[in-house]
Amino acid sequence: MSDVIRNVLVVNAGSSSLKFMLFDMASEQMLAKGQVERIGIGNALFTFSTEGFAEKQSPCEAPDHAAAIRLACDALTDPAKGGCLKSFADIDAVGHRIVHGGEKYSQPVKLDEHALTEIEKLSPLAPLHNPGALQGIRGCEQVLPGVPHVAVFDTAFHQTMPEESYLYALPRELHDKLGVRKYGFHGTSHRFVTERAAEVLGKPLDQVNLVTCHLGNGSSITAVKGGKCFDTSMGMTPLAGVVMGTRSGDVDPAIAFYLMKNGYSAEDVDTLFNKQGGVCALGGSSDMRDICAACEKGDHNAQVALARLVHSYAMYVGGYVALLGHTDAIILTGGIGENSWETRQAFLKVLSGLGVTLDAETNRHVRGVEATISGKDSAIPVIVIPTNEELMIARETFTLLSK
Ligand code: ADP
């Protein structure tokens, strides 16, 4: 490895998939990206693209995560595929996305055996995510030995929450013995848009108060006070908070006991709340493009789904604006926040009680770009800022290793 970190590979591994992106940190340009799907389950698929080479998908052999990362590195060093590296040695560092860092990690960490053991211990808190990420790290270490590997945690940004934000009103021993508390997720995205918002607003990061709304398939809303997380809508798990694609968001927890007394198992309730809820349950699709198209046609269920969705967003924004005292801006990001003008329009309408107004014409044309969509007279500016979690992971990896 050279002393200067130039090329950072960002890896987001799940139990059967591995997504990657390569960044040149001098320019922060993305050089290549791709993914391997169906790792270890047969009929694996490899997708790869670079600036000059359009996305290509092909069948591949990927019995494990090491094979998947080898496919990625082979493509990155193959000029015929558009790969721009001469050899694997040109990868200076790898940044891994890890969903759960528990209370242990409020910052990225350079991976060694101790850190891997600690992340493994956190697996009960994220049983669907941390084990897959660990497989990804082990695979990458086999293929890229001697390269520094860094873990960047989705929960880290939220570790600045005070006790009154993160404690549930339950006996303290549940927190102390079992880790029952609010952790929050999408932290890398909330951090990215917070840093960008400070630049856009021309304020020092430690003086900026925001409500950042990451609205996608999974959604969370965060109150940012002085550049740090003060509270966030997701909880101990990513089920809590606002209504999402297939997740219910906040419901009366007693519904779970009621259903279980009526023949539902714990797994049934889990599936119901996580996979069969949300706008999908109310409006018939988890995709806001379908919901908004159905609303346009006068579909009552879709209209209720949209109304319920933005109602849940507004409940958090209103609460957080009250808690923050002063709010410099409301930031919208994620697939819905960046692209769905209809959802944004409905959302800003229900925020009118806060003095928020909409520039309807601008809003209609904003898709995947940075723009202020509130009216000039809005009490709080509302700004769309496209998120870039992979670049944030690359930056955090670069910063940690450059110290
Ligand atoms: P994830 O949480 O899986 O990362 P995304 O942030 O990519 O999800 O958001 C996905 C959602 O964004 C889709 O389900 C869809 O509802 C919405 N979305 C994406 N593109 C558009 C678009 N052009 N118009 C409206 N909604 C969109």
Side-chain angles (χ1 to χ4, degrees):
M1 189 200 84
S2 64
D3 287 344
V4 180
I5 306 281
R6 186 169 177 111
N7 298 314
V8 175
L9 184 65
V10 173
V11 172
N12 180 357
S15 56
S16 66
S17 72
L18 186 148
K19 294 185 191 140
F20 61 93
M21 252 188 214
L22 182 71
F23 288 91
D24 167 18
M25 295 315 290
S27 61
E28 292 201 332
Q29 280 300 306
M30 198 250 300
L31 301 175
K33 67 172 177 175
Q35 61 174 327
V36 184
E37 292 163 276
R38 301 183 54 85
I39 298 168
I41 46 181
N43 299 324
L45 274 177
F46 181 59
T47 312
F48 186 70
S49 64
T50 67
E51 189 137 321
F53 283 69
E55 184 172 289
K56 205 176 155 208
Q57 199 171 58
S58 48
C60 64
E61 292 289 321
D64 55 30
H65 287 70
I69 197 70
R70 191 165 287 113
L71 283 164
C73 292
D74 283 342
L76 291 169
T77 50
D78 183 352
K81 293 194 171 117
C84 52
L85 302 181
K86 285 204 186 75
S87 75
F88 289 14
D90 288 338
I91 297 170
D92 299 312
V94 185
H96 296 268
R97 175 185 180 229
I98 312 287
V99 166
H100 222 302
E103 289 186 321
K104 174 98 191 159
Y105 294 110
S106 56
Q107 299 290 334
V109 64
K110 192 169 164 192
L111 287 164
D112 54 17
E113 273 314 309
H114 173 72
L116 284 170
T117 309
E118 291 297 319
I119 295 170
E120 204 150 13
K121 280 192 209 157
L122 295 166
S123 283
L125 290 173
L128 301 179
H129 294 105
N130 275 22
L134 282 164
Q135 285 176 294
I137 295 169
R138 299 270 186 213
C140 288
E141 284 181 338
Q142 273 180 45
V143 178
L144 299 166
V147 172
H149 293 261
V150 170
V152 178
F153 302 92
D154 242 19
T155 48
F157 183 62
H158 302 302
Q159 277 297 306
T160 51
M161 279 188 287
E163 279 181 312
E164 69 260 33
S165 298
Y166 75 70
L167 279 182
Y168 293 115
L170 290 167
R172 263 196 188 259
E173 65 186 40
L174 293 181
H175 166 263
D176 300 346
K177 292 198 181 132
L178 293 169
V180 174
R181 54 159 284 175
K182 180 186 280 196
Y183 292 98
F185 301 89
H186 295 138
T188 306
S189 176
H190 289 290
R191 186 192 296 277
F192 181 87
V193 297
T194 294
E195 291 184 3
R196 180 63 196 147
E199 284 175 13
V200 171
L201 295 164
K203 283 190 99 170
L205 183 63
D206 63 2
Q207 287 172 30
V208 82
N209 281 9
L210 305 165
V211 179
T212 55
C213 309
H214 178 106
L215 312 174
N217 262 325
S219 303
S220 63
I221 297 185
T222 294
V224 175
K225 196 174 195 172
K228 292 181 177 155
C229 173
F230 179 75
D231 200 354
T232 190
S233 62
M234 281 181 169
M236 174 159 165
T237 78
L239 175 59
V242 301
V243 172
M244 307 180 216
T246 65
R247 281 174 244 168
S248 61
D250 296 335
V251 293
D252 179 346
I255 294 170
F257 325 141
Y258 178 78
L259 292 175
M260 287 166 78
K261 282 177 191 152
N262 280 281
Y264 287 74
S265 67
E267 285 75 25
D268 293 340
V269 177
D270 189 329
T271 305
L272 204 63
F273 288 4
N274 273 298
K275 301 207 172 110
Q276 296 167 352
V279 284
C280 189
L282 295 175
S285 167
S286 63
D287 194 308
M288 289 314 291
R289 283 163 285 208
D290 300 336
I291 297 289
C292 294
C295 286
E296 185 67 25
K297 290 190 189 132
D299 182 312
H300 174 72
N301 290 341
Q303 288 168 347
V304 172
L306 177 63
R308 181 68 185 83
L309 181 78
V310 297
H311 179 114
S312 77
Y313 295 168
M315 298 269 291
Y316 274 95
V317 174
Y320 288 162
V321 165
L323 285 169
L324 288 174
H326 167 78
T327 305
D328 292 301
I330 297 165
I331 309 299
L332 307 185
T333 195
I336 295 171
E338 293 169 32
N339 298 299
S340 181
W341 69 266
E342 299 99 322
T343 308
R344 289 191 307 241
Q345 177 170 292
F347 181 18
L348 266 61
K349 275 192 182 158
V350 293
L351 291 182
S352 63
L354 294 176
V356 167
T357 62
L358 173 74
D359 177 343
E361 194 47 32
T362 301
N363 176 51
R364 194 178 259 272
H365 297 106
V366 171
R367 185 167 291 184
V369 292
E370 197 170 284
T372 300
I373 58 161
S374 49
K376 286 199 169 55
D377 57 344
S378 185
I380 307 170
V382 182
I383 311 172
V384 174
I385 298 183
T387 194
N388 194 335
E389 292 165 88
E390 293 80 10
L391 175 58
M392 193 73 230
I393 293 170
R395 274 185 194 160
E396 297 219 67
T397 302
F398 177 85
T399 306
L400 180 77
L401 296 174
S402 304
K403 267 180 194 159

